[in-house]
């Protein structure tokens, strides 16, 4: 059985009359972009674009505000603490997120997370408009927004099979992962510029408007019942509009440790990327420090560099499936190329050089993400997906607070160019480990392509 998909001309009444089964999709319709021929997925995807664009705009804007305006003597540490606050909830709350995503209707989780984030951003905007906004209050707002995003992202990833056909899972994954790239691009173009030209209050107000619009879009979407993944024992069919209750009855709950324990190959991949994230995540701390100390630029320069990173990641998310080779081999090559791209600005201090290098690094990140998340979508049983994607976010995110604090503190004592070299050198062992993992795999890895028979084996 496959998940339901709405054709562009299908009405809600027709879909309801057909029941939870898949809606027929004509060959002509399949040539249309997924977000246009599947209205429910398009609405939820756009909602994710808005939420992640908001949180990224907030991160970029506040990071620049701390370095350029609020903190003079220890801007690196202040920026590092802020980025740590932005990444900590996804790690600490992983078990809570997994239980919430598995226990409640996915549409309700997504809508509530976006609405609460909008309310928090609006409160911060009102406070900042009154003047005298203390730095700890900004940190608290960052924690609140990151907490909401920690629920939103894994819930949306889990919901993909409820919104699209099995044949569209990889395409939907590419669109979903491209959201982070679009968000980075939006934050690059708006975050630092808004702070320079309008102040922190207007930055928070823009974030609030985007979050509330995302909540409205999610509310308008119709969710279906997910198709069973490889290894599922039940059919996973049901009649609930969100599919959460049917999923709960299809298989017993399993602990996060057991889920990863039964997927040793996936677990090793996650460890490799966790180590890589110790150095890749530092780019968000290095960019404002490099702009201020090396390039001697302002918010426009921060916008250019963030836009380069986001544009590269966006292109990588849509072209990642064209990278030849098995996922681990392709991933190793991409990490090696990223290591070179992040190290070069440490040797050549020029705006065009660092902009081009960040574009290449972003492309590598986007290409790797779409290959591996599509692989995980097919390897992980449906009943385990809420727990798995929550723990995946936590495992990959565990290195982010550490990287932010270490590189932020080091930025007050070392040149940003030295930090760039450290990033490149640190990524090399992760690339080698991923390559060795591919060469010693006991069985051939399934390629992330649609399998009409029954998914990955």
């Amino acid at each position: 059985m496959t998940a339901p998909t709405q054709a562009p001309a299908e009405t809600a009444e027709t879909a309801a009359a057909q029941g939870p089964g898949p809606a027929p999709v004509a060959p002509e319709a399949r040539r249309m972009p997924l977000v246009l021929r599947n209205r429910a997925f398009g609405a939820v995807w756009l909602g994710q674009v808005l939420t992640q664009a908001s949180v990224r705009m907030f991160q970029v804007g506040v990071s620049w505000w701390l370095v350029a305006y609020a903190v003079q003597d220890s801007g690196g540490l202040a920026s590092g603490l802020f980025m740590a606050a932005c990444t900590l909830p996804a790690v600490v709350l992983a078990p809570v997120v997994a239980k919430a995503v598995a226990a409640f209707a996915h549409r309700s989780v997504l809508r509530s997370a976006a609405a609460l984030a909008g309310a928090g951003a609006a409160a911060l905007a009102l406070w900042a408009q009154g003047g005298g906004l203390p730095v700890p209050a900004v940190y608290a707002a960052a924690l609140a927004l990151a907490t909401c995003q920690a629920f939103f992202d894994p819930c949306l990833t889990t919901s993909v099979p409820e919104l699209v056909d099995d044949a569209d899972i990889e395409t939907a994954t590419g669109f979903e992962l491209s959201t982070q790239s679009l968000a980075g691009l939006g934050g690059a173009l708006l975050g630092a510029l808004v702070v320079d030209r309008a102040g922190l209050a207007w930055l928070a107000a823009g974030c609030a408007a985007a979050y509330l619009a995302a909540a409205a879009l999610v509310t308008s979407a119709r969710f279906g019942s997910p198709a069973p993944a490889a290894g599922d024992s039940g059919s996973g069919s049901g009649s609930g509009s969100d599919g959460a209750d049917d999923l709960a009855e299809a298989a017993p709950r399993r602990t996060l440790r057991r889920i990863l324990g039964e997927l040793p190959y996936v677990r090793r991949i996650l460890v490799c990327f966790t180590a890589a994230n110790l150095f890749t995540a530092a780019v968000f701390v290095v960019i404002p420090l490099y702009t201020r100390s090396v390039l001697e630029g302002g918010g426009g320069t921060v916008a250019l560099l963030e836009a380069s990173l986001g544009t590269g990641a966006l292109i990588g998310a849509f072209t990642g499936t064209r990278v030849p080779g098995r996922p681990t081999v392709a991933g190793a090559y991409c990490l090696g190329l990223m290591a070179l791209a992040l190290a070069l600005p440490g040797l050549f201090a020029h705006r065009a050089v660092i902009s081009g290098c960040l574009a290449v690094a972003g492309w590598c990140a986007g290409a790797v993400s779409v290959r591996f998340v599509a692989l995980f979508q097919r390897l992980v049983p449906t009943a385990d997906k809420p727990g798995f994607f929550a723990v995946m976010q936590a495992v990959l995110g565990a290195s982010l607070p550490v990287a932010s604090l270490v590189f932020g503190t080091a930025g007050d004592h070392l040149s940003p160019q030295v930090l760039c070299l450290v990033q490149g050198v640190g990524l090399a062992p992760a690339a080698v480990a991923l390559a060795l993992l591919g060469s010693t795999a006991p069985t051939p890895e399934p390629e992330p392509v649609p399998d009409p028979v029954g998914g990955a084996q």
Side-chain angles (χ1 to χ4, degrees), residues 46-390:
L46 183 56
Q48 190 189 26
V49 170
L50 291 172
T51 61
Q52 289 196 335
S54 298
V55 75
R56 190 75 192 105
M57 181 171 67
F58 187 77
Q59 290 173 0
V60 171
V62 173
S63 292
W64 178 243
W65 176 74
L66 289 169
V67 170
Y69 298 101
V71 181
Q72 300 299 325
D73 298 328
S74 56
L77 176 59
S79 179
L81 284 172
F82 171 74
M83 293 305 301
C86 291
T87 55
L88 195 60
V91 180
V92 176
L93 298 178
V96 178
V97 171
K99 291 179 181 179
V101 172
F104 298 100
H106 294 160
R107 180 168 56 184
S108 298
V109 174
L110 295 171
R111 178 178 56 215
S112 299
L116 289 173
L124 182 68
L126 292 175
W127 191 348
Q129 189 66 37
L133 183 66
V135 171
V138 178
Y139 288 166
L143 277 172
L145 297 186
T147 298
C148 294
Q149 203 70 36
F151 283 87
F152 195 99
D153 289 338
C155 185
L156 178 60
T157 304
T158 305
S159 302
V160 167
E162 302 174 30
L163 296 166
V164 302
D165 284 330
D166 181 73
D168 288 326
I169 284 180
E170 185 171 286
T171 302
T173 300
F175 273 109
E176 183 207 344
L177 292 176
S178 72
T179 299
Q180 299 181 13
S181 309
L182 288 170
L185 186 58
L189 295 176
L190 295 176
L193 290 177
V194 170
V195 168
D196 272 355
R197 300 180 181 181
L200 197 60
W202 283 102
L203 178 74
C207 292
Y211 274 119
L212 296 177
L217 284 167
V218 171
T219 302
S220 69
R222 175 182 177 269
F223 286 55
S225 300
D232 286 349
S233 59
S235 62
S237 61
S239 58
S241 60
D242 292 284
D245 295 336
D246 301 312
L247 185 60
E249 297 174 1
R253 296 283 183 267
R254 301 199 293 173
T255 64
L256 301 181
R257 179 177 297 179
R258 183 178 176 186
I259 292 172
L260 283 183
E262 295 181 2
L263 297 169
Y265 185 67
V266 172
R267 185 178 67 246
R268 295 187 189 106
I269 293 174
L270 293 180
V271 171
C272 288
F273 283 115
T274 300
N277 279 354
L278 281 169
F279 301 94
T280 59
V283 71
F284 301 117
V285 176
V286 172
I287 284 177
L289 295 176
Y290 198 101
T291 299
R292 186 193 64 177
S293 302
V294 179
L295 300 180
E296 297 181 350
T301 302
V302 174
L304 171 65
L305 300 184
E306 291 280 357
S308 300
L309 184 67
T311 301
L314 177 61
I315 297 172
F318 284 105
T319 61
T321 55
R322 301 179 184 178
V323 178
R326 293 180 300 179
T328 49
V329 176
Y333 280 118
C334 286
L335 285 185
L337 180 59
M338 187 187 299
L340 179 62
L342 292 178
L344 280 179
L347 301 175
F348 304 98
H350 191 277
R351 185 178 282 101
V353 172
I354 186 173
S355 179
C357 289
L358 288 175
V360 172
W363 180 88
C364 293
V368 166
S369 296
V370 73
R371 289 298 297 271
F372 281 97
V373 174
L375 177 66
F376 297 158
Q377 283 279 14
R378 300 191 183 282
L379 289 180
V380 179
T382 300
D384 289 338
K385 284 180 180 177
F388 172 78
F389 283 113

